[in-house]
Amino acid sequence: MRLGYTLMTEQVSPPDLVRHAARAEEVGFDFEVMSDHYFPWLDEQGHAGYAWSMLGAVTQVTRRVELMTYVTCPTKRYHPAVVAQKAATVQLLSDGRFTLGVGSGENLNEHVVGGGWPSVDVRHEMLVEALEIINGLFDGGYVNHRGQHFSVESAKLWDLPEVRVPIAAAVSGPASIAKLAPLVDHMVAVEPNADLVQQWSGAGSRGERKIGQMPISFDRDREAAVRRAHEQFRWFGGGWKVNSELPGTAGFAAASQFVRPEDVAESIPCGDDVSAIVEAAAEWREAGFTDLALIQIGGDTQEEFLTWAADELLPALAES
């Protein structure tokens, strides 16, 4: 299982995020994923820079690590034709190291353009149509499209990379797998669910990567780690069905107001106990995931975390 580092746009400033990307490659992470948000989940996180500008910068301060959006919604804030152009450009700038991760989005980020928030079945319809457009543009030549949700008139990508941009799709169950797998290369999921992996393997995707993500809260002081995880990540346990519907940070604060620090600590490894993280990561490996990106909670803790990861965490995970 390959190990990745999450460039979480919601918790650090753009200059700091680019610096952390260079350092994460230096300490030995295999790949880096970047969130694509207009809002943080909670006010306490305090940031939400534009992911695609930062991705361009990251391509120039790294040389080895693979890069990925985790994940972009190509249906509301962005038109799919523009997403295809952005992805192809990042692939060129990174010399073939980029994967376009896509999902059906969250109201939190997509409401800002004022188009309303569709029901989940409509969002899946829109994502399928968007992927058809993006794939067509990646194929080269002109694309014209008149669909239920999108129109494209004589679009063409004039700067196509030699290495086609792989696409990974976020899924949550059999319905989304059946619709999305035939249109993409790899799977994204945020829980170590072996059933999802098994369903994906027979669903007709073009590739075999299964890419997960796991938050941790490293600190030499475990109580401080738990406090920080509760302050900034208590929303995490709400689940996809809730997290995709809430419209703003106030909604996430209200939905998580009764979550206690000890509740967060039960689901997120906190402190500097390497064995606890190794044990949590093993669940993903045993479920069949090929890649796991770690989130270190807390923007001001990244430098210390990356040094600790190089010295203790990554060697222990590699050994396991």
Side-chain angles (χ1 to χ4, degrees):
M1 190 170 64
R2 301 166 71 248
L3 297 170
Y5 173 74
T6 299
L7 298 162
M8 193 170 183
T9 61
E10 305 95 294
Q11 65 177 8
V12 294
S13 71
D16 285 340
L17 182 142
V18 174
R19 188 168 41 101
H20 297 156
R23 177 66 175 145
E25 178 181 73
E26 181 182 302
V27 306
F29 281 97
D30 298 311
F31 66 101
E32 299 178 9
V33 304
M34 185 182 295
S35 54
D36 186 354
H37 272 232
Y38 201 92
F39 268 65
W41 298 97
L42 295 167
D43 287 352
E44 290 87 345
Q45 291 177 321
H47 297 276
Y50 183 54
W52 293 88
S53 296
M54 290 184 279
L55 274 168
V58 168
T59 66
Q60 302 305 293
V61 300
T62 58
R63 293 292 178 268
R64 174 188 57 81
V65 288
E66 296 180 17
L67 304 172
M68 178 181 174
T69 49
Y70 203 99
V71 291
T72 288
C73 175
T75 62
K76 297 294 289 184
R77 266 185 304 151
Y78 309 136
H79 190 284
V82 177
V83 172
Q85 183 189 34
K86 294 190 290 190
T89 300
V90 171
Q91 184 74 314
L92 287 164
L93 289 171
S94 66
D95 294 324
R97 293 183 285 130
F98 180 63
T99 295
L100 173 63
V102 299
S104 56
E106 297 98 11
N107 195 3
L108 174 71
N109 301 298
E110 310 307 320
H111 78 273
V112 297
V113 295
W117 189 233
S119 62
V120 64
D121 59 323
V122 173
R123 299 201 303 268
H124 283 160
E125 288 176 4
M126 295 176 73
L127 182 56
V128 166
E129 192 173 331
L131 285 168
E132 292 170 348
I133 293 167
I134 292 169
N135 275 310
L137 287 164
F138 285 171
D139 287 341
Y142 287 92
V143 171
N144 291 281
H145 179 87
R146 292 287 184 276
Q148 183 177 357
H149 302 288
F150 300 105
S151 294
V152 179
E153 294 187 3
S154 190
K156 177 182 176 179
L157 298 180
W158 287 90
D159 290 282
L160 270 176
E162 291 185 9
V163 177
R164 184 188 177 102
V165 180
I167 305 173
V171 297
S172 58
S176 56
I177 288 174
K179 292 176 181 177
L180 299 176
L183 297 171
V184 305
D185 302 279
H186 309 302
M187 184 187 92
V188 168
V190 294
E191 58 178 333
N193 187 329
D195 290 339
L196 290 180
V197 171
Q198 293 170 2
Q199 292 161 10
W200 182 269
S201 296
S205 68
R206 299 185 293 249
E208 284 299 321
R209 291 176 68 188
K210 290 92 176 179
I211 307 160
Q213 188 180 53
M214 184 178 80
I216 64 174
S217 184
F218 161 76
D219 200 292
R220 295 298 184 185
D221 180 344
R222 187 176 186 276
E223 291 185 4
V226 171
R227 285 196 303 270
R228 187 171 64 247
H230 177 258
E231 178 187 65
Q232 298 193 23
F233 249 71
R234 61 187 182 274
W235 57 271
F236 189 76
W240 175 80
K241 289 184 178 180
V242 172
N243 291 347
S244 64
E245 300 294 341
L246 297 176
T249 56
F252 281 90
S256 59
Q257 63 181 309
F258 298 115
V259 177
R260 303 168 301 171
E262 54 266 37
D263 299 327
V264 175
E266 286 181 3
S267 60
I268 296 175
C270 294
D272 62 352
D273 182 358
V274 171
S275 63
I277 299 173
V278 169
E279 182 179 348
E283 295 183 27
W284 295 86
R285 184 179 67 249
E286 291 164 3
F289 282 78
T290 60
D291 303 71
L292 180 64
L294 302 179
I295 305 173
Q296 164 61 10
I297 299 170
D300 60 353
T301 68
Q302 301 301 310
E303 295 288 354
E304 185 181 5
F305 164 73
L306 288 167
T307 298
W308 177 73
D311 294 341
E312 300 183 42
L313 179 59
L314 290 178
L317 287 167
E319 184 178 352
S320 73

